[in-house]
Amino acid sequence: MRIDEVQRQRDAALAALDAVDDAAALEAWRTAALGRASAVAALLGQIKAVPADERPAFGAAVNAARQALEAAFEARRAALEARALGEALGSDRIDVTLPGTLPPRGGLHPVTRALRRICRIFADMGFQVYQSREVETDDLNFTLLNTPPHHPARDMQDTFYVTDDVVLRTHTSPGQIHAMREHAPEPLRIILPGVVYRNEKITARSEIQFTQIEGLAIGEGITMADLKGTVENFVRRLYGPDRAVRFRASYFPFTEPSAEVDVSCMLCGGRGCQICKGGGWLEIMGCGMVHPTVLANGGYDPDRFTGFAFGGGVERVALLRYGIDDIRHFWANDLRFLEQLR
Amino acid sequence: MRVVLSWLKEYVDLDGVAVETLVERWTQAGLEVEGVERIGDWWDRERLLVGAVTAVHPHPNADRLVLADVDYGAGAPHRVVTGAPNLLPLREAGALDRPLKVVFAREGVELFDGHAAGWHKVVLKGRPVRGVMSDAMVCSAKEIGLSDDHEGILILDDGAPVGRPLADVLGDVVVEVAITANMARAMNVVGLARETAAILDRPLRGVDPATGAPLGGAGAEGRGAPRAAGSTPPPAPAATAVVADDAGDLCAVAIEAPDLCPRYTARLVRDVRLGPSPEWLRRRLTLAGMRPIKNVVDVTNYAMLEWGEPLHAFDHDKLVARAGGGVPRIVVRRAAPGERMTTLDGVDRALDGDTLLIADAAGPVAIAGIMGGADTEVDDGTRHVLLEAAAFDFINVRRTSRMLKLTSESAARFGRGVHPALAETGAARAAALLSELAGGRAVGTVADAYPRPPAPVLVTLPLRDIRRTLGVEVPVDAVLGILERLAFDLTHHVDGATGAITAVEAVVPPHRMDVALPVDLIEEVARVYGYDRLPGTRMADPLPPQRDNPTWEVDEAVRDALVAAGLQEAISYRLVAPRAEARLVPGAGDADAGGTPEHVTLRNPISPERAALRRSILTGLLEATAGNLRFRDRVALFELGRVFHPRPGEALPDEPRRLGVVLTGAAEAAGWRTGGGRKLDFYDAKGAVERVLAALEVDAAWSPGRHASFHPGRTAEVRSGDAVLGHVGELHPLVRRQWGLGDDPVAAADLDLDALERAAGRVRPFRPFSVYPAMLRDLAVVVDEAVAAADVEAAIRRAGGALLADVVLFDVYRGAQVGAGKKSLAWSLTLQAPDKTLEGKVADGARARIVKALERELGAAAR
């Protein structure tokens, strides 16, 4: 009889739970069905009135009813939560195509980027960076590099003069003399990046200021074959493993034998295009074996030591890499240029 | 240099050598080919032929047209109608005694339209002209694309073979070759022929030793010269010319400056008739890039282009007249002080004491090696020509040419060095050509002053040095062959024991003035052997000691720190206008444009805008900022580089390395989530610099400072110990205006990279951090405006002691609540014990101690 009452109360509460449809109603139901004032609590309060022999069965029935209600509550709560999450996921959508949020972006100058690539490649071959001053004596810029006054090779380089004896360096080669005199008779393996100056008209193809990088290796067994191997390795790492490299005879007063280095055009693959003027080759650097006079001026005995040197323009590396058509972009500091190439 | 291949082939046998091969081998061996021009490669071999006009008749219906009978080797002459102005005078001539060689074009051939402006090709079609059928024509130079001359038909030389395709007669190839400073020997046809013969291992063709004329060759065929084999022996360096006994009556030469003129020869050619040169010579000069003028001048140019010996032609009668009818006495001397002369370009020139003159009793007649004088110039009345062939000191020629700003083909050659031994041949060649082409009578050399024959140059090359330099064993036979082909006279040094050749002693031929050292010979071997035959090896030499390069590393770390802080690297011209730099200082916007003593100024700038080296790293950055603000609302730039400060009494300036930063405009990039419109200011520049200091591990202190370009109340000095690292500030409003930078603040930094490098690398050792919970306490204090936030923070840290783990300023307030002249600084304190959980009352106690200290030390009041 009393057990019937327990079951009836349970069924009534379960029926009420069916109508519960949100979190507030569920909480109200829990208070009503399982709280202190609930029917289950009231039934449990009556246990002392139950005859002793029926008490175990009654108690068990009430507990079973409470567990059933708690289980039903949990199930309902989970169902409601799942439904709410589902609705939230459906409505909390964002436009993932809106631009991302970024701090302002900085960037390196393209010449710095090119220089870093070059320096990294040479660093792997044991070349260390050496830098020196930009205003030089005529002696260091020319004479000690086997280019005495009135030497025809001086026509190759139009020079800015500060006085008769002081020039803006026309190449980073004075650094070769500085480095040699600093380190002779140690072997030497350096690269010399830096700003150099030429008195030329500023056009799309020529500048008064540009960045050069030279290399110098001196030792007791350095050969022209080493020069070729070093330059080939560099060129293929910089421009790609499939590039053909060509050495041809040329003239610089500070090296002998001297060579120009051409690389097969990376834009047309050597078939000939506008960039390589149809020839399929691009001139990228000059090089040669350090002239004995220069070795001696640097403090190395030419009978014991040999060396090679090479040099080229850094802007040209960026020009070729990005297809830049006008060298005047480099020092204009126009953000529309710099931000494209950083 | 423009190399005319038909001309070159008169001196070197290139039969069967493709132009492409020549181009490739020249380029490999140091004669860089910059272009190839093929003359007449499009000419129709069937329809464009050498013809001979055998008769000219009047046109029955037109006064300004004639009928020409042209023999083109096909039996009966072909009749064409033409209005060529140079045939019109022959309209009544009928059969010609001396047929005129012309370019004959048959129907269907493609030609340039001679009448239209510009260059348009048209196909020749037969049509009646005033009632007479014309299905062929005789061509002008323009119609076959040789030049823009359409004033008449092209008349070929009499020797032109009738019926031959024009391509075989006038067709040619011109190769543009870049001549480097060491290749002066190849700046002429004969010299290039020698080079080519050596490079390609081809035979040279023979030369008549008396006249320098080629004895045969492909190109000479058209001129009827005989073919012969032979070689071009270099002239002996010290041999003087045979001078006729009576020559002293014709001309005398005295060299007063033998240091500048080792040799001067004169040759006389009598009874020349001035006039135009023959077509073949005009054509060659044109193809070689020189303008034909008249035969005497053309011949001297031709001989110069061919042999590399610049020649000058004097009018002998004028010299005689200047000598008062006596014997012209030529003196080679330095110019006297104040001496002047008018060169043949009509310019009156002031000479200096190092200018070498060719003079006679009446004064200068030429600037040696550069240009002749107007007074003794050859003209239409000239009868006898005195040819000068000499040698001059190349340095002096270069110096004078530069001093006078006067260049010439002659100066270009003498300026690179012409050996005295070459004088004879060049002059002989010209004299022979004058006899042949201008009806002259070559008398021979009338004077040869040769005070200083150069000693023969001997160079000994140990063969092992070839391997030592090149890194590859070039076979001895190859070495000997190459040097011999290049006309070095070799003596072998042989090892007595093995019989092997250990060294060669080379007598350097006179045309090789670039060879004096063993390495010069190694280069010869390498470039002719072929650089492409050298292997590419990795250096086997020991690696040198490897060293740190703090300068480079600091520069790179600074760049990375600033890029990470959102700044863009700039690189500016280091050459600026001193006037622009004056704008870096308030109120100096309209300063004098001239250079100031504080700048390193150029003697030869390209423009006033690029006349001096910058003193400040800010110059380029501000210029860039002004430029970019025209289309950007945010500019954040930095630059690293040298600035240049002259040092009194020193030849070379100081070149300190500086770091510049400029920030202006919107603090945030415009975007859909940004807003508030905060502008970049001092604190953004300070933040960027703090990033740099952190990256370099510099302990720095900030205090109010002064900088000439900055706002006096918004400038900080950054120090590390006693060293000033530089300044951070906002531009002075006047400086901002002087640079046209708008109304927003422009924050900037001007830092000393050398000082930063010295201060860098103060490593702070690791401090263990507490694992116990921290207590947070806020603290707002009111202080006088004059009290620096840094002093408040320092006092907080002192009073907080070991428990104070961190302190952050989170608000600065000014206003009614704190009163005028005061400010409220709100701090967030993090208190933490290293060894236990801190109790709240301990944290409160610490905060109270801090408040007391601030009240006592700074007169602060807690809010």
Side-chain angles (χ1 to χ4, degrees), chain B residues 335-342 348-351 357 363-364:
Chain B
E339 198 163 3
R340 307 182 70 89
M341 80 168 288
T342 302
D348 177 47
R349 297 177 185 276
L351 313 170
L357 292 179

mmCIF file of all heavy atoms in Angstrom, chain B residues 335-342 348-351 357 363-364:
data_model
loop_
_atom_site.group_PDB
_atom_site.id
_atom_site.type_symbol
_atom_site.label_atom_id
_atom_site.label_comp_id
_atom_site.label_asym_id
_atom_site.label_seq_id
_atom_site.Cartn_x
_atom_site.Cartn_y
_atom_site.Cartn_z
ATOM 1 N N ALA B 335 105.193 72.617 -73.802
ATOM 2 C CA ALA B 335 104.673 73.951 -74.066
ATOM 3 C C ALA B 335 105.332 74.969 -73.135
ATOM 4 O O ALA B 335 105.661 74.659 -71.991
ATOM 5 C CB ALA B 335 103.162 73.981 -73.863
ATOM 6 N N ALA B 336 105.503 76.161 -73.662
ATOM 7 C CA ALA B 336 106.058 77.247 -72.850
ATOM 8 C C ALA B 336 104.931 77.822 -71.991
ATOM 9 O O ALA B 336 103.767 77.676 -72.320
ATOM 10 C CB ALA B 336 106.640 78.317 -73.760
ATOM 11 N N PRO B 337 105.303 78.498 -70.907
ATOM 12 C CA PRO B 337 104.264 79.095 -70.051
ATOM 13 C C PRO B 337 103.377 80.027 -70.861
ATOM 14 O O PRO B 337 103.876 80.852 -71.641
ATOM 15 C CB PRO B 337 105.065 79.865 -68.998
ATOM 16 C CG PRO B 337 106.431 79.251 -69.014
ATOM 17 C CD PRO B 337 106.654 78.732 -70.400
ATOM 18 N N GLY B 338 102.067 79.883 -70.717
ATOM 19 C CA GLY B 338 101.127 80.772 -71.379
ATOM 20 C C GLY B 338 100.909 80.495 -72.851
ATOM 21 O O GLY B 338 100.168 81.200 -73.520
ATOM 22 N N GLU B 339 101.563 79.463 -73.375
ATOM 23 C CA GLU B 339 101.437 79.173 -74.803
ATOM 24 C C GLU B 339 100.028 78.685 -75.138
ATOM 25 O O GLU B 339 99.385 78.013 -74.332
ATOM 26 C CB GLU B 339 102.479 78.109 -75.193
ATOM 27 C CG GLU B 339 102.734 78.057 -76.687
ATOM 28 C CD GLU B 339 104.033 77.331 -77.024
ATOM 29 O OE1 GLU B 339 104.689 76.818 -76.090
ATOM 30 O OE2 GLU B 339 104.385 77.318 -78.208
ATOM 31 N N ARG B 340 99.536 79.046 -76.312
ATOM 32 C CA ARG B 340 98.196 78.638 -76.756
ATOM 33 C C ARG B 340 98.287 78.117 -78.172
ATOM 34 O O ARG B 340 99.227 78.403 -78.899
ATOM 35 C CB ARG B 340 97.223 79.829 -76.747
ATOM 36 C CG ARG B 340 97.145 80.590 -75.437
ATOM 37 C CD ARG B 340 96.118 81.711 -75.526
ATOM 38 N NE ARG B 340 94.762 81.190 -75.578
ATOM 39 C CZ ARG B 340 94.031 80.950 -74.495
ATOM 40 N NH1 ARG B 340 94.524 81.171 -73.299
ATOM 41 N NH2 ARG B 340 92.805 80.482 -74.608
ATOM 42 N N MET B 341 97.287 77.352 -78.583
ATOM 43 C CA MET B 341 97.192 77.018 -80.004
ATOM 44 C C MET B 341 95.751 76.686 -80.351
ATOM 45 O O MET B 341 94.943 76.331 -79.488
ATOM 46 C CB MET B 341 98.121 75.855 -80.381
ATOM 47 C CG MET B 341 97.594 74.482 -80.034
ATOM 48 S SD MET B 341 98.573 73.169 -80.814
ATOM 49 C CE MET B 341 98.089 73.334 -82.519
ATOM 50 N N THR B 342 95.443 76.814 -81.650
ATOM 51 C CA THR B 342 94.110 76.481 -82.141
ATOM 52 C C THR B 342 94.175 75.106 -82.797
ATOM 53 O O THR B 342 94.901 74.905 -83.768
ATOM 54 C CB THR B 342 93.627 77.531 -83.151
ATOM 55 O OG1 THR B 342 93.642 78.802 -82.503
ATOM 56 C CG2 THR B 342 92.217 77.209 -83.627
ATOM 57 N N ASP B 348 90.545 77.416 -79.590
ATOM 58 C CA ASP B 348 91.795 77.997 -79.113
ATOM 59 C C ASP B 348 92.037 77.481 -77.704
ATOM 60 O O ASP B 348 91.186 77.622 -76.829
ATOM 61 C CB ASP B 348 91.675 79.530 -79.116
ATOM 62 C CG ASP B 348 92.931 80.183 -78.545
ATOM 63 O OD1 ASP B 348 94.041 79.773 -78.945
ATOM 64 O OD2 ASP B 348 92.782 81.074 -77.685
ATOM 65 N N ARG B 349 93.192 76.843 -77.485
ATOM 66 C CA ARG B 349 93.389 76.149 -76.219
ATOM 67 C C ARG B 349 94.581 76.695 -75.451
ATOM 68 O O ARG B 349 95.642 76.954 -76.027
ATOM 69 C CB ARG B 349 93.602 74.650 -76.470
ATOM 70 C CG ARG B 349 92.373 74.015 -77.105
ATOM 71 C CD ARG B 349 92.585 72.556 -77.440
ATOM 72 N NE ARG B 349 91.426 72.051 -78.156
ATOM 73 C CZ ARG B 349 90.311 71.598 -77.569
ATOM 74 N NH1 ARG B 349 90.212 71.577 -76.261
ATOM 75 N NH2 ARG B 349 89.290 71.167 -78.286
ATOM 76 N N ALA B 350 94.401 76.811 -74.130
ATOM 77 C CA ALA B 350 95.495 77.200 -73.245
ATOM 78 C C ALA B 350 96.239 75.938 -72.839
ATOM 79 O O ALA B 350 95.625 74.950 -72.443
ATOM 80 C CB ALA B 350 94.936 77.908 -72.017
ATOM 81 N N LEU B 351 97.565 75.959 -72.949
ATOM 82 C CA LEU B 351 98.369 74.772 -72.688
ATOM 83 C C LEU B 351 99.116 74.948 -71.378
ATOM 84 O O LEU B 351 99.322 76.070 -70.929
ATOM 85 C CB LEU B 351 99.350 74.571 -73.839
ATOM 86 C CG LEU B 351 98.705 74.693 -75.226
ATOM 87 C CD1 LEU B 351 99.763 74.729 -76.312
ATOM 88 C CD2 LEU B 351 97.732 73.540 -75.467
ATOM 89 N N LEU B 357 104.175 69.315 -77.222
ATOM 90 C CA LEU B 357 103.793 69.926 -78.492
ATOM 91 C C LEU B 357 104.670 69.439 -79.623
ATOM 92 O O LEU B 357 105.849 69.156 -79.437
ATOM 93 C CB LEU B 357 103.934 71.446 -78.404
ATOM 94 C CG LEU B 357 102.974 72.182 -77.485
ATOM 95 C CD1 LEU B 357 103.285 73.674 -77.524
ATOM 96 C CD2 LEU B 357 101.534 71.915 -77.917
ATOM 97 N N GLY B 363 105.853 78.143 -84.156
ATOM 98 C CA GLY B 363 104.952 77.823 -83.044
ATOM 99 C C GLY B 363 104.408 76.415 -83.140
ATOM 100 O O GLY B 363 104.835 75.612 -83.976
ATOM 101 N N PRO B 364 103.460 76.076 -82.260
ATOM 102 C CA PRO B 364 102.949 74.712 -82.225
ATOM 103 C C PRO B 364 102.144 74.363 -83.482
ATOM 104 O O PRO B 364 101.429 75.215 -84.013
ATOM 105 C CB PRO B 364 102.053 74.687 -80.980
ATOM 106 C CG PRO B 364 101.807 76.102 -80.617
ATOM 107 C CD PRO B 364 102.898 76.926 -81.214
#
